[in-house]
Amino acid sequence: FVSGAVLTDMEETLAEIEFLALSANRVTVLAALAEAPHSRSELAELTGASQATLGRILGDFEERHWVERAPDGYEATATGRLVAEEFDGLLSVLDTERQLRPVVDYLPTDAMAFDFRHLADATITMPSETRPNAPLQRLLELLRGADSVTAFSHAFNDQSLSAVTDRLDTISFQAVLSPAAIDSLTADAELRGRLREVVDAETATIGVYAGEIPLAVTIVDGVVHMLVRDGRGVLQAAIDTDNPTVREWAKRRFEHYRVQSEPLTAEEL
């Protein structure tokens, strides 16, 4: 049961959110004033709004005690800065959610032990009619310029393997793969030969982890790249980010799999 008084408070709060959200100019003006005092001419340059529009915005903000006059024009009050900061956080969360919405159903979120807000600046590459392999091509682009590659995955395709073998003299490569990934490669004589090249290289190691690896993650230098597949194994997207928190998570997960894996040897191939 929600009392009428509580419901009214909620409605009033939602009305304030709506007031701010329905105008990009209001959001821009409040964010700018939360950072530093601005004159009306500076605000006009930032927003492209007319002086009449700015007058209404500033008047509405003064009425709410979000801004006040300053020697250099206007500045945000303590509560104005609070509103600006929290609203910016809400915008960031919703922007991240909107980007992840097409792929969230395919993500093993239980295994991704980090706040998804750290994916706010991630690059999401999805297949298109003209580039059906765009997610994989994104990974290959990263591999071609890499100095250091660390991976853990339930699958490892032939193109990624070729990109690694072509650069064994110039990159450091560490991977932990599932038995299924190894079996898929060794079933083909040519791919088995390339895999043996990797195992024989002084700059590379491959471990085999007997348990489940629910993700296909590659750390290419400072970038974490994830290939996202649906339940049928069809590639749906690639997500890559240089966010430090996501990178530390990926390194910890790799180490978790590495210490429980068995090294793949040339004799086994």
Side-chain angles (χ1 to χ4, degrees):
F1 175 79
V2 179
S3 71
V6 172
L7 185 59
T8 300
D9 287 344
M10 183 185 296
E11 289 175 338
E12 289 181 356
T13 301
L14 290 173
E16 291 299 290
I17 295 172
E18 183 180 32
F19 160 77
L20 189 56
L22 286 178
S23 169
N25 285 336
R26 288 176 188 147
V27 175
T28 301
V29 168
L30 188 60
L33 295 179
E35 290 183 0
H38 284 72
S39 67
R40 284 179 62 148
S41 59
E42 289 171 335
L43 293 172
E45 187 174 346
L46 277 173
T47 62
S50 67
Q51 287 297 324
T53 298
L54 283 174
R56 288 192 296 271
I57 291 173
L58 292 168
D60 288 336
F61 284 176
E62 284 186 288
E63 183 179 325
R64 287 167 170 79
H65 302 286
W66 290 355
V67 305
E68 60 189 6
R69 295 180 187 271
D72 296 328
Y74 291 85
E75 64 183 359
T77 64
T79 52
R81 289 192 296 273
L82 175 64
V83 171
E85 180 180 349
E86 294 302 319
F87 195 80
D88 181 67
L90 177 61
L91 287 177
S92 178
V93 167
L94 290 175
D95 184 55
T96 303
E97 185 279 331
R98 184 174 53 81
Q99 290 188 70
L100 293 176
R101 193 179 300 168
V103 300
V104 69
D105 287 344
Y106 311 120
L107 295 177
T109 53
D110 290 345
M112 301 169 72
F114 56 85
D115 191 323
F116 271 31
R117 280 176 287 193
H118 293 297
L119 294 177
D121 296 324
T123 299
I124 299 179
T125 306
M126 301 185 68
S128 66
E129 290 186 5
T130 55
R131 297 188 67 213
N133 290 324
L136 177 57
Q137 292 304 314
R138 173 59 180 165
L139 174 59
L140 296 177
E141 289 171 11
L142 294 172
L143 290 175
R144 292 186 187 109
D147 293 320
S148 174
V149 176
T150 303
F152 55 92
S153 180
H154 51 75
F156 201 70
N157 63 75
D158 60 335
Q159 294 183 67
S160 296
L161 179 61
S162 296
V164 171
T165 54
D166 288 345
R167 303 199 56 232
L168 283 173
D169 293 337
T170 58
I171 66 170
S172 169
F173 178 76
Q174 300 179 81
V176 177
L177 303 176
S178 69
I182 299 297
D183 291 345
S184 294
L185 295 173
T186 56
D188 181 281
E190 181 180 350
L191 297 181
R192 185 169 63 250
R194 292 181 191 170
L195 188 61
R196 187 181 296 113
E197 287 183 53
V198 177
V199 171
D200 284 337
E202 294 182 359
T203 58
T205 61
I206 295 179
V208 183
Y209 177 73
E212 181 185 10
I213 303 178
L215 288 159
V217 176
T218 307
I219 309 170
V220 184
D221 296 330
V223 177
V224 178
H225 181 281
M226 293 175 272
L227 285 174
V228 180
R229 301 178 186 274
D230 63 18
R232 299 170 298 163
V234 178
L235 192 59
Q236 295 293 331
I239 302 173
D240 55 83
T241 177
D242 60 1
N243 180 273
T245 298
V246 179
R247 186 165 58 244
E248 287 306 309
W249 162 81
K251 289 180 178 179
R252 288 194 304 271
R253 291 310 300 170
F254 170 79
E255 190 62 19
H256 167 79
Y257 294 125
R258 187 194 67 78
V259 297
Q260 299 184 60
S261 67
E262 294 294 330
L264 182 67
T265 63
E267 289 76 13
E268 294 175 86
L269 299 172

